[in-house]
Amino acid sequence: MLALLDVDKLLTFTIIGLSTGAIYAIIAAGLVVTYTTSGIFNLAHGATGMLAAFTYWQFRFAWGWPAPVALVVVLLMLCPLFGAATERFIMRGLKGTTEVIRLTVTVALFAGMLGLANWIWPPDGSRVAFRRFFEGNTVPLGGINVSWHRVITLACAVLVAAALRYIMFRSRAGVTMRAVVDDRDLAELNGGRPDRVAMLAWALGAGLAGLAGVLLAGEQQLNIEPLVLLVINAYAAAILGRLRSLPWTFAGAALLGLLDSYYLGYLDGRIIPSTMFGFSLNGLRASIPIIVLFIALVAMPVSRLRVGAVRFREKHREPVWSTSLLGAVLLVTFVIAISGMLTRANTLLAINGFVFAIAALSLVPLTGYAGQLSLAPMTFAGLGAIAMAKLPGNGSILTLAGAILIVAGIGAIVALPALRLSGVYLALATAAFAVLVSKLVFNQRQTFQTGNIDVPTLAIPFVDIGSPRSRLILLSVAFAVLGLCIVALRRSPLGRRLIALKDSQAAAATLGMNLTATKVAAFAISAGIAACAGALVGDKVSPQQYDFLQSLPVVLLAVVGGVASVAGALLGGMLLGGSLVLVILAPAMTNISKVLPGAIGITLGRNPSGASEQIAENFRALAGRWGLISVAVAGGTGVWFLANRGIISNWSFVFAIAVWTLGVVPNLPALAERFDRRTVSAGIWLAAGMAAAAFIDWGTAVGSSGWRLLVLIAVVFTIGPIGERLLDRSPRVRPGSPDAIGLTDDLTPLEVEDAERRIGVVL
Amino acid sequence: MALELKSISVSFGGVMAVSEVSLALEPGRVTGLIGPNGAGKTTLFNVVSGIISPNSGRVILDGHDLTSTPPHRRARRGVARTFQRLELFGSLSVLDNVRVAAEIAGRERPDVVAANLLEQVGITGRADSVAADLSTGSARLVEVARALAIQPKVLLLDEPASGLDEDETLRLGRLLRGLAADGLAVFLVEHDMELVMDVCDVLHVLDLGRLIASGSPDVVRRDPAVVQAYLGVA
Amino acid sequence: MRPPILELRGVSAGYGAIEVLHDVDLVIERGQVVALLGPNGAGKTTTIRVASGQVRPTTGFLHVAGRDVTGVSAGALARAGVCTIPEGRGIFANLTVRENLWMATHGGPSLGEVEECTYARFPRLAERRTQVAGTMSGGEQQMLALARGLAVDPVMLLLDELSMGLAPKIVAELYEQVAAIASEGVSVLVVEQFARTVLGVADHTILLANGMVRWSGATADIGDTALAEVYLGQGRSADPTPDTTTSPSPGGTAP
């Protein structure tokens, strides 16, 4: 207590705390502005700040531009431009999609930006330092010396607060933003332009994120992950403002900053020991904002049941036993068949793909069926790995069962307080949980003692599982079994309840369903499956593999693959594993593989049901049409024949088969429907595409096999969709142009008068 | 006395949506609730089913005070409802919509229960189609079947006939009379006056959140205050 | 001859798979006040939403001043002078009265003009200019909503259930203002449930039921009896006695 009397110390730590809080406040304010005006919680907000900091560093320190020029270019030009473009080209397409999709798209953006930063600025120690503003200069303030950088940070926060206050209450654009929040339709009936307002808000938000990123980099130096994660702390401030109130957001940010600084100054190592009951508390300080976030989320008032079912664009079907069993058998057979031909490295990659696929599978009941987004699948996988390694039984089936049960229990317990929340709040609570576990659990001696633990291979009586090949087969069997369990779940009463929960909470509750119990069940099942992804890995694992940031691509690709189906989870996991395959095949592809998941995810707005559903939909049209099926089979056989006779090369065979199956076959039903100009032109196009795929010698035409894969994807995605477009019969309607009476653009009063005279609107 | 509402009041912001409404539903009777748009009918339904809690007043079912009971426990005590803006489980099949309700209520052979109920409301041959693809009329009937699947004592129907054609409306009327005859207390909000006049034993008229008339349909229809409420001031 | 100010031609519209309006034709001539009446679920609000550009017809056309504007956004129509006061309070509940009026300026007039015009017509709103709109009484909220329609000097005013949930006295007060602006030559389409309230204002009446136009003509030609028939369903059959006795016997639930 004596320490509290030291005024200088108190002042020092208060100022440090407030300047940290100032940065949180600036980030959080941007988040609140974009969320309220567009209804999209931008998880990539922090990544925007990180990218801005790097860009500023590039201009200012690598190229030596003067600071003011670099600042103006980054904060007033590039950031707002980036924000506006994000809104215009990505977020605007998300109308009518579920909150899961909207959040996932921002996860995609997050992943993409992280990849981009890693690509352009690969982490190495030899970078020119990021210096603070007026490095080394201090201002005396109440008896202590405060660095210029901190003073500037504090001044920025005050300025931002004042500017936002002015914009929101004293400018028509700002008032329109608030009006759009209140009632979007009415704002439009008033003649406002909600889309333009949203674009403005995103531009503003990105600018604020950029400012915070530059200020933060001065304090923390340029490291991608710490920058991004520190920014997550600011989410706590935004939540304290209930994602609505800017004053409360600023207050919350100040509180967080002060907590952090006082902890450092007064509690750390003194009042709070560095270890307790043998557990290290090193990660506690860094976890404070996350703990606050968690408490704030749990203290949120329960949202009222929403009446008024929303019709979403996503469509999913109930899985059928026959297809599911066939799929499971085919998968295992295929893996057994090819496993002998894979190199050791490729086998390890395929194992990885299945681990991701199982983690993605854990999202199917929770996200796909029950509509609740979790951002922590890999965290539960990590807990599963620890349980498998630590539980007695040395990897027996019983050990696995124990691990699943324990993690499922943890999942249920974590879910319980968070369940009163929904949508974005629930997703954030799971993110908070993931970060907490990384910081407080995974760094303990008792879990990952030396940074690595050995997870024993599952011991099955009479079967020897030691080689990577047998582990791969084991994982494929595990995926198949778990997949069938999910199918059984979907077809069970509980499965129907989960769907009911997603489709209409109001109806489910008024029919007597306990929403909380159902959500807890979904969380527990999901955590249990995710535990398998860790427990079955059968290898040495490190805590970094189960970091929060590792969960993001899993969530992302599960949703891209189609989160409401087992096939989607497999596709998502393999895509993630596949982007690693790309790296092995062609080292030059490393950078592309970093941005690939993000780039794929961003297309979700166009196809919210996921890729597997899209592919399945295309093939369903063939069902029962034996004529078309035989044409499809004949085409494939023909290509195989050409390759078999050595007429075309192996790579051309791959290209031709891919184009035939994914590009031509889905178009067959429409092609066979009738014979007219459209079908003829589509037929010619598809035939030309097939010819190009089969007869260009891709093996020599394109250099590395990595590039060949990319070209393959490009070819398939050009030929198929264009053919589809040519066959599309739905009429394209364009809105009438109301130019002459100023129906689209504001006309000057003179023009209005003239136009009105011409068409006689004046009464 | 199946369900009793005692001086229920609800206000949103500065606007009184329901004020001091008291009424009772009895088993074996169809009770109608009519009134102009914005009179507070759906708000009252939301109070009864527990979706919103009233500012004052009490909801009593068979002597138990349900005022602060959450919606799912009210449903288990026997309050079921349909929604004005449909709330079907769009990605489930028609049959599964009803089946999941029967399962929640813990009934034996839920699939058989569901199939029978669908037949009872007159939805045949569409049991396997996805609920989201139904027309409004069929969707409303499925909602009725789904509500019946939990074997309620009190059934709240929010505009069940809107979107139904004349035949379907007639059939719905017969169904409601039959349900009442089986001892159910039916609470009906409806704008199709012909149906209301046909099937209701008692009619309450809500205007500006207040009950302005109650009685048999015949009496209510001749009530000058009711005509006034519908046609406005002269 | 100048084309009608607003015209719906063979409009069918709905939400998703649900069609609400079936082949509706509706014409509003310049300076006309048209009442659109009908029981709930008749499609009145959908008609307004089509006319204001909020719902795009699945078939048929929307013409404004003789121009085909089918599919034009609601904001564009609003800025062109089609002013819509939607059903339920057409205000921004979390904005102050003055900020609400500020939102009315997207079509051209300045905030000063809008405020001046509003406070002249509704002095009560002047006292509340800094109050958050959602905390005002229902009547005051509706005055504020209507104020926008009066102040922006529209070409066409679309009013959806102005009277909803309001006491008759306030409704009468609001319609005085509607009559006043109509007398200045603004065309008005009024959707109402309180039939009698608007009959004094409207020259022309359209009765809508089940998404179809049932009756259309000069307001003078419609009588209270006819209205009561539509609203209270007394007249669909020749025999007006209600028939609860012929309801099916217990167990008569099978189709």
Side-chain angles (χ1 to χ4, degrees):
Chain A
M1 293 316 285
L2 263 174
L4 284 174
L5 295 175
D6 184 346
V7 178
D8 278 1
K9 185 180 176 187
L10 182 65
L11 194 60
T12 308
F13 280 103
T14 305
I15 286 180
I16 291 176
L18 284 179
S19 77
T20 310
I23 295 177
Y24 290 163
I26 296 169
I27 304 175
L31 196 63
V32 170
V33 167
T34 49
Y35 179 71
T36 50
T37 40
S38 62
I40 293 171
F41 188 91
N42 186 11
L43 288 168
H45 191 69
T48 311
M50 177 271 298
L51 221 48
F54 272 90
T55 314
Y56 173 76
W57 172 86
Q58 186 73 40
F59 292 163
R60 174 77 185 88
F61 300 107
W63 294 346
W65 294 13
V69 177
L71 281 177
V72 166
V73 170
V74 172
L75 299 185
L76 298 183
M77 292 162 69
L78 294 180
C79 279
L81 210 64
F82 176 78
T86 308
E87 194 284 330
R88 177 64 191 83
F89 297 110
I90 301 173
M91 302 305 165
R92 201 175 285 182
L94 298 178
K95 278 174 200 156
T97 56
T98 53
E99 199 149 36
V100 166
I101 297 289
R102 295 203 295 258
L103 273 171
T104 310
V105 168
T106 70
V107 170
L109 203 58
F110 190 139
M113 288 160 84
L114 218 58
L116 195 66
N118 266 312
W119 182 0
I120 304 177
W121 298 281
D124 55 18
S126 61
R127 226 183 264 131
V128 189
F130 192 114
R131 271 172 292 135
R132 302 170 186 196
F133 295 113
F134 305 98
E135 177 106 43
N137 294 321
T138 56
V139 195
L141 202 75
I144 57 161
N145 285 327
V146 182
S147 75
W148 266 95
H149 192 86
R150 285 199 201 287
V151 173
I152 289 174
T153 304
L154 284 168
C156 279
V158 172
L159 262 172
V160 164
L164 281 178
R165 171 89 201 165
Y166 181 85
I167 291 173
M168 288 302 181
F169 290 89
R170 292 277 175 273
S171 78
R172 194 175 81 170
V175 175
T176 311
M177 274 185 206
R178 287 165 52 222
V180 169
V181 175
D182 229 17
D183 188 336
R184 190 188 168 91
D185 288 344
L186 185 62
E188 196 160 5
L189 285 179
N190 269 292
R193 293 176 174 86
D195 285 340
R196 215 178 272 184
V197 166
M199 221 157 112
L200 188 67
W202 278 80
L204 192 63
L208 290 174
L211 175 61
V214 169
L215 290 170
L216 198 59
E219 301 281 349
Q220 307 281 341
Q221 277 308 313
L222 277 184
N223 290 310
I224 293 173
E225 294 194 0
L227 268 178
V228 171
L229 283 178
L230 263 173
V231 154
I232 291 180
N233 297 349
Y235 293 164
I239 294 296
L240 286 172
R242 296 264 157 81
L243 290 181
R244 282 197 304 268
S245 154
L246 283 173
W248 278 107
T249 302
F250 274 80
L255 174 78
L256 285 171
L258 288 174
L259 270 178
D260 179 67
S261 145
Y262 291 156
Y263 182 90
L264 187 68
Y266 295 102
L267 302 177
D268 201 16
R270 279 157 246 200
I271 294 166
I272 294 182
S274 60
T275 55
M276 197 182 270
F277 308 119
F279 289 98
S280 153
L281 292 181
N282 287 336
L284 195 57
R285 179 191 158 209
S287 316
I288 291 175
I290 305 295
I291 294 170
V292 172
L293 173 63
F294 208 73
I295 294 172
L297 282 170
V298 169
M300 296 271 295
V302 189
S303 53
R304 217 184 81 190
L305 279 178
R306 203 174 54 190
V307 184
V310 190
R311 276 166 211 282
F312 294 120
R313 280 155 48 193
E314 293 103 295
K315 281 257 168 79
H316 303 290
R317 287 159 181 267
E318 189 183 68
V320 187
W321 272 122
S322 56
T323 328
S324 309
L325 282 168
L326 184 69
V329 171
L330 278 180
L331 173 70
V332 174
T333 320
F334 178 74
V335 169
I336 292 174
I338 63 154
S339 61
M341 311 185 311
L342 293 177
T343 61
R344 191 186 150 81
N346 283 345
T347 308
L348 292 179
L349 277 174
I351 288 176
N352 235 327
F354 272 109
V355 168
F356 287 135
I358 294 175
L361 193 65
S362 79
L363 293 173
V364 172
L366 183 65
T367 310
Y369 297 165
Q372 315 289 319
L373 189 62
S374 160
L375 295 177
M378 290 313 280
T379 305
F380 287 115
L383 292 171
I386 295 171
M388 188 73 169
K390 301 287 170 185
L391 283 178
N394 197 25
S396 72
I397 294 273
L398 282 176
T399 318
L400 176 66
I404 293 173
L405 284 178
I406 288 175
V407 178
I410 296 173
I413 292 168
V414 172
L416 212 47
L419 279 174
R420 296 154 59 253
L421 312 167
S422 60
V424 58
Y425 298 107
L426 187 61
L428 281 180
T430 59
F433 169 72
V435 176
L436 270 186
V437 171
S438 288
K439 290 199 164 142
L440 293 179
V441 178
F442 288 168
N443 65 354
Q444 301 294 340
R445 205 160 33 81
Q446 291 83 346
T447 55
F448 289 96
Q449 60 271 49
T450 54
N452 279 311
I453 44 166
D454 241 326
V455 179
T457 316
L458 183 68
I460 302 173
F462 314 118
V463 183
D464 175 41
I465 299 168
S467 66
R469 182 182 171 193
S470 53
R471 268 168 51 216
L472 173 62
I473 295 170
L474 170 72
L475 275 166
S476 72
V477 173
F479 181 87
V481 170
L482 288 171
L484 290 176
C485 289
I486 297 284
V487 171
L489 171 72
R490 170 63 182 83
R491 299 179 61 88
S492 75
L494 179 57
R496 284 188 279 278
R497 277 181 215 205
L498 295 181
I499 302 268
L501 179 73
K502 179 180 71 177
D503 283 353
S504 168
Q505 300 208 356
T510 54
L511 288 169
M513 189 167 104
N514 186 335
L515 301 184
T516 309
T518 315
K519 282 188 201 169
V520 167
F523 258 91
I525 292 171
S526 172
I529 296 171
C532 293
L536 291 173
V537 72
D539 201 355
K540 226 182 233 319
V541 289
S542 68
Q544 285 78 30
Q545 281 170 268
Y546 304 112
D547 195 59
F548 166 60
L549 289 182
Q550 300 304 317
S551 285
L552 294 183
V554 171
V555 173
L556 172 60
L557 286 171
V559 176
V560 168
V563 75
S565 74
V566 174
L570 183 63
L571 190 63
M574 288 301 154
L575 278 175
L576 192 52
S579 66
L580 295 174
V581 171
L582 217 53
V583 180
I584 301 290
L585 284 176
M589 292 297 104
T590 313
N591 291 324
I592 291 179
S593 78
K594 282 177 190 158
V595 285
L596 202 60
I600 296 172
I602 288 166
T603 63
L604 270 176
R606 237 164 289 146
N607 179 23
S609 304
S612 64
E613 184 60 21
Q614 186 81 12
I615 295 171
E617 192 63 45
N618 284 337
F619 284 104
R620 250 173 232 132
L622 285 179
R625 304 180 65 170
W626 293 105
L628 293 180
I629 293 175
S630 43
V631 171
V633 173
T637 320
V639 174
W640 175 81
F641 182 78
L642 288 177
N644 198 29
R645 284 299 160 97
I647 301 171
I648 59 175
S649 72
N650 279 345
W651 269 103
S652 303
F653 167 73
V654 172
F655 268 66
I657 282 288
V659 169
W660 181 257
T661 350
L662 297 173
V664 180
V665 170
N667 281 318
L668 282 178
L671 207 58
E673 203 173 87
R674 74 182 76 185
F675 184 78
D676 61 15
R677 250 186 52 211
R678 272 161 181 259
T679 48
V680 167
S681 57
I684 292 173
W685 166 257
L686 291 172
M690 268 307 287
F695 295 109
I696 293 178
D697 188 1
W698 297 100
T700 51
V702 182
S704 75
S705 39
W707 280 110
R708 269 175 226 141
L709 277 183
L710 282 190
V711 171
L712 172 67
I713 293 169
V715 166
V716 171
F717 282 88
T718 318
I719 293 175
I722 291 185
E724 205 172 303
R725 194 67 176 252
L726 286 170
L727 287 164
D728 187 11
R729 259 166 239 288
S730 61
R732 284 185 225 299
V733 205
R734 285 175 210 292
S737 158
D739 44 357
I741 47 171
L743 286 174
T744 48
D745 279 300
D746 286 326
L747 302 179
T748 64
L750 253 176
E751 281 173 320
V752 171
E753 216 179 284
D754 172 56
E756 285 183 340
R757 218 181 5 260
R758 273 198 287 134
I759 57 170
V761 176
V762 179
L763 296 159
Chain B
M1 203 69 62
L3 185 100
E4 232 182 317
L5 301 181
K6 288 190 169 168
S7 47
I8 301 283
S9 296
V10 182
S11 67
F12 301 120
V15 183
M16 212 54 172
V18 170
S19 63
E20 298 287 319
V21 170
S22 300
L23 53 82
L25 308 180
E26 290 184 42
R29 281 196 172 183
V30 179
T31 308
L33 181 65
I34 60 170
N37 248 349
K41 303 182 297 285
T42 296
T43 306
L44 200 62
F45 261 35
N46 284 343
V47 168
V48 176
S49 54
I51 288 177
I52 56 179
S53 30
N55 299 50
S56 64
R58 298 196 302 154
V59 180
I60 292 161
L61 179 73
D62 290 336
H64 298 280
D65 190 334
L66 296 186
T67 317
S68 49
T69 309
H72 70 274
R73 287 219 202 95
R74 293 191 198 204
R76 286 183 196 163
R77 285 194 176 274
V79 181
R81 72 169 290 178
T82 67
F83 294 85
Q84 184 188 356
R85 296 178 57 188
L86 294 161
E87 294 271 350
L88 279 184
F89 304 128
S91 29
L92 290 177
S93 72
V94 170
L95 184 77
D96 280 353
N97 261 276
V98 187
R99 170 150 68 158
V100 74
E103 283 163 355
I104 290 168
R107 296 183 66 173
E108 302 268 310
R109 301 298 314 272
D111 47 339
V112 177
V113 169
N116 289 342
L117 281 169
L118 283 177
E119 201 185 318
Q120 194 182 351
V121 300
I123 299 278
T124 44
R126 303 213 55 186
D128 290 329
S129 40
V130 175
D133 297 340
L134 288 181
S135 69
T136 324
S138 308
R140 291 210 184 275
L141 293 174
V142 174
E143 273 209 359
V144 174
R146 188 178 65 179
L148 289 174
I150 69 167
Q151 291 183 302
K153 293 179 193 153
V154 179
L155 177 62
L156 314 178
L157 300 168
D158 202 347
E159 300 198 21
S162 89
L164 266 59
D165 62 29
E166 225 149 301
D167 266 4
E168 288 170 324
T169 309
L170 279 176
R171 194 154 50 194
L172 177 72
R174 281 202 296 272
L175 173 69
L176 297 187
R177 288 306 321 167
L179 292 172
D182 292 342
L184 199 64
V186 179
F187 197 13
L188 175 70
V189 161
E190 184 48 62
H191 286 288
D192 183 329
M193 286 301 154
E194 204 168 8
L195 176 69
V196 169
M197 297 294 166
D198 251 13
V199 303
C200 290
D201 302 296
V202 189
L203 205 50
H204 298 283
V205 186
L206 208 56
D207 187 30
L208 300 174
R210 268 184 293 270
L211 273 188
I212 57 165
S214 300
S216 78
D218 222 10
V219 174
V220 165
R221 179 161 47 185
R222 301 210 169 85
D223 190 324
V226 176
V227 178
Q228 173 92 355
Y230 267 88
L231 301 183
V233 283
Chain C
M1 198 193 114
R2 295 199 303 179
I5 190 71
L6 187 112
E7 193 178 359
L8 269 62
R9 276 193 207 159
V11 164
S12 298
Y15 309 93
I18 304 157
E19 190 175 287
V20 180
L21 293 184
H22 319 287
D23 197 20
V24 165
D25 289 302
L26 184 150
V27 177
I28 298 166
E29 299 291 345
R30 280 148 208 287
Q32 219 177 26
V33 178
V34 176
L36 183 62
L37 306 175
N40 237 333
K44 305 186 297 288
T45 293
T46 308
T47 308
I48 288 266
R49 289 173 67 85
V50 169
S52 62
Q54 289 173 284
V55 167
R56 189 201 179 111
T58 42
T59 58
F61 301 94
L62 169 67
H63 287 229
V64 170
R67 290 183 56 89
D68 182 1
V69 292
T70 319
V72 161
S73 79
L77 277 176
R79 289 186 293 277
V82 178
C83 178
T84 312
I85 312 296
E87 183 186 34
R89 312 280 170 257
I91 57 155
F92 300 105
N94 293 314
L95 268 51
T96 65
V97 169
R98 187 163 176 271
E99 286 169 338
N100 262 281
L101 295 175
W102 205 351
M103 289 301 95
T105 63
H106 284 283
S110 74
L111 177 58
E113 288 162 16
V114 173
E115 278 195 282
E116 194 182 322
C117 169
T118 302
Y119 301 150
R121 286 183 196 264
F122 301 108
R124 259 204 270 178
L125 293 179
E127 299 160 21
R128 303 190 178 274
R129 56 199 296 269
T130 56
Q131 188 173 338
V132 175
T135 62
M136 301 195 299
S137 75
E140 287 163 342
Q141 292 184 20
Q142 199 64 301
M143 281 177 197
L144 179 57
L146 184 60
R148 173 166 64 88
L150 306 179
V152 299
D153 193 17
V155 178
M156 168 90 233
L157 188 58
L158 306 173
L159 299 172
D160 194 0
E161 298 234 14
L162 210 51
S163 62
M164 193 202 274
L166 296 180
K169 195 170 148 259
I170 293 165
V171 175
E173 200 177 319
L174 290 171
Y175 273 105
E176 269 172 36
Q177 297 295 339
V178 175
I181 193 170
S183 70
E184 289 167 17
V186 174
S187 317
V188 187
L189 176 64
V190 203
V191 160
E192 262 307 341
Q193 258 207 324
F194 283 85
R196 216 180 278 160
T197 320
V198 292
L199 293 182
V201 186
D203 336 299
H204 197 87
T205 297
I206 295 168
L207 282 181
L208 206 63
N210 292 329
M212 285 174 282
V213 175
R214 285 292 164 88
W215 191 90
S216 166
T219 305
D221 298 344
I222 193 167
D224 270 5
T225 349
L227 269 177
E229 278 170 12
V230 173
Y231 278 90
L232 298 177
Q234 284 160 319
R236 223 187 281 173
S237 60
D239 177 16
T241 37
D243 209 345
T244 49
T245 51
T246 58
S247 54
S249 53
T253 53

